[in-house]
């Protein structure tokens, strides 16, 4: 906690910048709460302003547009994804179990928050395109996936596309057809084994 003397010693522009960032964080948190209630496309600036105790027009002094708010949400969610799914899964050469852990981490992260999943992996907001800065976070996640594959000796250039297609397919089915259940969660391991046989047959031979 910052003491009164420390706050007084802090340069005024830094304090203003910190307060502004705190307000932006509050707006983004309120936006998440709203879209989880009303759906991703149901974000209304008037409702958002009411949540944070300001007029809707005042929000534009922090974000230039509604899409800028979506962009901040996108970046925040991908950082969470990187910390939970990517950084939380450690891969050793030949460690097939790591692929299973990563798949379950992906599936659980996505199905635990369908609205967040829609923002990250679907085009639910037709006119929303992530900024270059935010999309760079998404690309870094994909690079990390390729690094994990490299540690497993997987060199197929289409491996990452096949992997994400299978896992998002399972996620879509779970969210759409068995929300809160485990129908598609139960077959994650089978799907991983199927993909591994396709992209890394050498790993299947090693574990046979």
């Amino acid at each position: 906690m910052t003491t009164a003397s420390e706050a007084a010693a802090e340069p005024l522009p830094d304090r203003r910048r910190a307060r502004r960032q705190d307000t932006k964080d509050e707006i983004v948190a309120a936006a998440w709460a709203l879209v989880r209630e009303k759906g991703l496309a149901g974000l209304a600036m008037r409702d958002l302003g009411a949540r944070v105790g300001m007029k809707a027009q005042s929000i534009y002094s922090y974000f230039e547009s509604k899409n800028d708010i979506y962009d901040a949400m996108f970046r925040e969610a991908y950082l969470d994804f990187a910390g939970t799914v990517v950084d939380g899964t450690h891969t050793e050469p030949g460690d097939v179990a790591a692929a299973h852990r990563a798949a379950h981490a992906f599936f659980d992260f996505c199905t635990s928050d369908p609205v967040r999943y829609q923002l990250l992996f679907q085009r639910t907001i037709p006119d929303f395109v992530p900024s270059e800065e935010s999309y760079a976070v998404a690309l870094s996640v994909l690079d990390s996936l390729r690094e994990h594959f490299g540690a497993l000796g997987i060199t197929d250039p289409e491996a990452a596309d096949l992997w994400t297609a299978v896992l998002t397919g399972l996620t879509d089915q779970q969210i759409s057809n068995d929300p809160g259940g485990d129908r598609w969660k139960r077959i994650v391991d089978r799907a991983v084994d199927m993909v591994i046989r396709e992209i890394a047959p050498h790993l299947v031979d090693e574990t046979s």
Side-chain angles (χ1 to χ4, degrees):
M1 179 180 296
T2 303
T3 65
S5 59
E6 289 172 337
E10 185 180 2
L12 187 58
D14 290 345
R15 278 185 279 163
R16 287 175 175 167
R17 191 177 301 112
R19 287 198 298 270
R20 179 177 177 81
Q21 186 59 52
D22 286 344
T23 302
K24 293 182 72 172
D25 291 343
E26 183 183 0
I27 291 170
V28 171
W32 277 118
L34 277 172
V35 299
R36 285 169 180 142
E37 292 174 10
K38 301 176 180 294
L40 194 58
L43 181 61
M45 300 300 275
R46 179 177 297 178
D47 293 339
L48 184 56
R51 286 292 177 101
V52 295
M54 63 175 66
K55 294 181 179 180
Q57 193 63 31
S58 299
I59 296 176
Y60 291 108
S61 64
Y62 296 93
F63 295 94
E64 292 185 3
S65 66
K66 187 190 296 187
N67 277 353
D68 281 344
I69 298 175
Y70 283 128
D71 187 67
M73 295 166 68
F74 180 93
R75 182 168 59 255
E76 179 181 278
Y78 249 114
L79 288 170
D80 288 344
F81 180 87
T84 303
V85 178
V86 179
D87 295 343
T89 304
H90 303 289
T91 305
E92 299 293 337
D95 183 8
V96 178
H100 287 265
R101 292 194 300 271
H104 278 283
F106 180 100
F107 185 89
D108 292 345
F109 180 90
C110 292
T111 56
S112 68
D113 192 337
V115 170
R116 180 178 59 190
Y117 170 75
Q118 290 172 353
L119 180 61
L120 293 184
F121 298 104
Q122 297 179 337
R123 291 297 184 109
T124 307
I125 309 299
D127 62 342
F128 168 65
V129 178
S131 65
E132 184 176 339
E133 177 186 2
S134 295
Y135 196 60
V137 180
L139 291 178
S140 71
V141 169
L142 187 59
D143 288 341
S144 295
L145 173 61
R146 289 173 175 144
E147 289 175 7
H148 281 305
F149 281 166
L152 293 170
I154 300 171
T155 58
D156 184 342
E158 296 180 338
D161 289 344
L162 181 59
W163 177 265
T164 54
V166 169
L167 289 183
T168 53
L170 291 172
T171 301
D172 286 344
Q173 290 282 27
Q174 186 63 59
I175 291 173
S176 300
N177 298 308
D178 188 29
D182 67 350
R183 180 177 174 183
W184 277 269
K185 181 180 176 66
R186 294 198 307 267
I187 60 174
V188 168
D189 287 323
R190 291 178 62 186
V192 170
D193 290 338
M194 178 183 68
V195 175
I196 291 296
R197 282 194 296 271
E198 173 63 27
I199 64 177
H202 65 283
L203 294 178
V204 177
D205 294 339
E206 291 173 4
T207 57
S208 298

